[in-house]
């Protein structure tokens, strides 16, 4: 029977009156390009999420990755080890520098890049490792720090989905030469569109600032060939408001995830998110896997949740990046391939009510039971 009513969205940007007022305030000044709001946002981002780091605001998470790689000196002839189970921007940013993304496998429990698989991918051309803190769970930074030290490699963090996540109590964004955060509307916080580069190195931060601004720190004193990847004051004003809410939203996401964990525990064929003991998970996505399913079975599960129960679900990511037409690289990545056909993400965002959470649990239970009896 088709569901009649309002579908629970898998993601819902949290934009309210305070964000609108902040935009109106900036618009009333007539100074809407990169200016004092961006500078304030950068300081506050560091204070709230990566204490002690330098933050540089840019116009997207992809720009944050790209400019960070350029500032790190990554370019033609270099290799950067990346997961294939991620959004394409991770590998795209490497390729855009002229370097080669080398794909390694994931830990099947956490979906994050596996340090042991990354170790097998190291060659004489490898310059860096780019772990992704996928779905909001910090990657195994102990493993990556050991690997980087052994081979003299840089660590470059893709923290696009991991605002406020940590490993052994240390915030993501503080481990590598740099980290890149996304501020896209469906992320755990947003600036409307935007990104942030964090680094512990003041000179590195300066290089990113130069690169985002046509290669110049002072007007008409271009030091290098750069880009126009600046953030506007309008977007920064939104981000500043969101920063005041991100920690409360994170706690709500974690609370919602705990309800889903309890409600889905023991359900045949359904594996709830597994969290490493050293990691803080901020649940950008609450991702379950349907153990042993085919991609077609998983997609049918997603359709049934929406059509029969009004529960939105998403699949992140159905095609490993190495198999995308833009790359087409042969790689032996069995855990990546399994995850790509078994995972689906359920709503976990802070706008959910208790009744929504119970509906999600009931829906997953019903669809799983129907599939088991089919």
């Amino acid at each position: 029977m088709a569901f009649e009513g309002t579908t629970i969205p898998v993601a819902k940007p949290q934009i309210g009156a305070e964000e609108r007022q902040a935009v109106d305030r900036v618009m009333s000044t007539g100074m809407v390009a990169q200016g004092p709001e961006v500078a304030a946002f950068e300081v506050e981002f560091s204070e709230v999420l990566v204490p002690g780091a330098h933050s540089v605001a840019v116009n997207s998470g992809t720009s944050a990755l790209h400019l960070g790689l350029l500032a790190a000196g990554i370019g033609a002839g270099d290799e950067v080890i990346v997961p294939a189970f991620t959004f394409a921007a991770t590998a795209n940013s490497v390729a855009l520098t002229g370097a080669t993304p080398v794909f390694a496998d994931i830990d099947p429990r956490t979906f994050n890049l596996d340090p042991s698989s990354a170790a097998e991918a190291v060659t004489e051309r490898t310059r860096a490792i780019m772990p992704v803190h996928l779905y909001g769970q910090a990657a195994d930074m102990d493993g990556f720090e050991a690997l980087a030290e052994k081979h003299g490699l840089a660590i470059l963090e893709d923290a696009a989905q991991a605002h406020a996540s940590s490993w052994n109590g240390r915030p993501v964004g503080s481990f590598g030469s740099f980290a890149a955060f996304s501020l896209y509307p469906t992320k755990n916080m947003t600036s409307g569109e935007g990104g942030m580069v964090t680094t512990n190195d003041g000179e590195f931060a300066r290089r990113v600032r130069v690169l985002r601004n046509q290669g110049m720190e002072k007007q008409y004193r271009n030091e290098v060939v750069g880009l126009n990847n600046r953030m506007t004051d309008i977007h920064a004003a939104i981000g500043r408001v969101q920063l005041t809410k991100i920690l409360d939203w994170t706690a709500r996401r974690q609370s919602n995830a705990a309800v889903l964990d309890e409600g889905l525990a023991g359900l045949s064929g359904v594996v709830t998110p597994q969290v490493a003991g050293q990691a803080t998970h901020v649940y950008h996505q609450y991702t379950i896997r349907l153990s042993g399913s085919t991609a077609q079975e998983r997609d049918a599960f997603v359709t049934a949740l929406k059509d029969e129960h009004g529960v939105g679900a998403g699949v992140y990511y159905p095609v490993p990046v190495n198999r995308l037409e833009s790359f087409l690289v042969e790689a032996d990545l069995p855990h990546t391939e399994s995850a790509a056909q078994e995972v689906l993400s359920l709503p976990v965002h802070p706008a959910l009510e208790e009744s929504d959470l119970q509906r999600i649990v009931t829906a997953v239970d019903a669809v799983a039971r129907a599939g088991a009896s089919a």
Side-chain angles (χ1 to χ4, degrees):
M1 181 180 295
F3 175 80
E4 295 182 1
T6 302
T7 296
I8 301 170
V10 68
K12 185 176 182 179
Q14 307 295 295
I15 302 289
E18 291 171 294
E19 286 85 352
R20 290 190 288 272
Q21 290 166 4
V23 170
D24 289 343
R25 173 175 55 78
V26 172
M27 293 292 287
S28 69
T29 69
M31 299 174 60
V32 298
Q34 179 178 287
E37 290 290 330
V38 170
F41 184 31
E42 291 172 336
V43 171
E44 292 161 4
F45 191 93
S46 294
E47 291 174 345
V48 174
L49 295 177
V50 195
H54 304 269
S55 293
V56 183
V58 294
N59 60 354
S60 73
T62 303
S63 292
L65 287 167
H66 186 208
L67 295 185
L69 284 157
L70 291 174
I74 302 297
D78 297 332
E79 293 179 348
V80 178
I81 298 170
V82 300
F85 192 64
T86 181
F87 186 54
T90 305
N92 285 349
S93 63
V94 175
L96 286 169
T97 70
T100 300
V102 176
F103 299 100
D105 211 354
I106 58 170
D107 181 329
R109 299 164 299 173
T110 65
F111 305 117
N112 282 325
L113 184 65
D114 184 349
S116 63
S117 180
E120 295 174 358
V122 174
T123 73
E124 68 279 359
R125 295 174 58 193
T126 305
R127 286 280 310 282
I129 319 159
M130 186 181 282
V132 179
H133 305 298
L134 199 70
Y135 300 142
Q137 177 171 193
D140 179 358
M141 298 313 296
D142 290 343
F144 290 117
E145 286 188 323
L147 179 59
E149 183 176 358
K150 179 179 180 179
H151 294 283
L153 306 176
I155 295 174
L156 317 175
E157 297 178 74
D158 184 336
Q161 303 177 359
H163 314 68
S165 182
S166 63
W167 180 263
N168 278 332
R170 182 176 167 186
V172 303
S174 66
F175 288 90
S177 300
F178 80 91
F181 291 84
S182 172
L183 299 167
Y184 185 73
T186 56
K187 294 299 189 289
N188 289 22
M189 65 167 286
T190 184
S191 59
E193 178 70 283
M196 193 72 75
V197 178
T198 62
T199 178
N200 296 320
D201 183 335
E203 175 55 28
F204 192 102
R206 193 193 81 85
R207 291 200 297 273
V208 176
R209 290 192 176 96
V210 166
L211 286 164
R212 77 175 172 185
N213 189 37
Q214 301 288 10
M216 59 185 178
E217 190 169 32
K218 296 181 180 179
Q219 192 172 26
Y220 306 128
R221 296 291 187 270
N222 302 69
E223 303 173 29
V224 297
V225 175
L227 298 143
N228 177 4
N229 286 162
R230 298 184 297 267
M231 177 181 281
T232 70
D233 266 19
I234 296 171
H235 291 91
I238 296 171
R240 294 182 69 192
V241 173
Q242 296 259 307
L243 267 177
T244 68
K245 305 175 182 180
I246 180 63
L247 298 183
D248 287 341
W249 285 341
T250 298
R252 183 65 181 269
R253 285 176 179 273
Q254 291 166 332
S255 175
N256 290 346
V259 172
L260 295 175
D261 282 346
E262 182 178 1
L264 301 176
L267 191 58
S268 179
V270 175
V271 181
T272 54
Q274 300 180 61
V275 183
Q278 303 94 321
T280 299
H281 202 321
V282 297
Y283 295 98
H284 170 61
Q285 301 292 348
Y286 183 91
T287 301
I288 64 174
R289 65 190 308 161
L290 306 180
S291 182
S293 75
T294 65
Q296 292 76 18
E297 290 168 338
R298 185 270 317 282
D299 293 346
F301 198 105
V302 170
T303 298
L305 285 175
K306 182 175 185 293
D307 292 351
E308 299 172 18
H309 301 276
V311 172
V315 177
Y316 314 99
Y317 299 90
V319 183
V321 178
N322 65 295
R323 291 205 284 108
L324 294 173
E325 188 175 349
S326 49
F327 290 100
L328 293 179
V329 174
E330 288 294 329
D332 182 21
L333 308 173
H335 296 310
T336 294
E337 293 291 343
S338 293
Q341 67 183 26
E342 294 178 357
V343 301
L344 65 96
S345 297
L346 301 171
V348 74
H349 53 80
L352 296 172
E353 303 290 343
E354 184 66 29
S355 59
D356 295 324
L357 293 166
Q358 293 307 317
R359 194 163 115 205
I360 294 166
V361 169
T362 299
V364 173
D365 179 71
V367 176
R369 289 179 186 276
S373 62

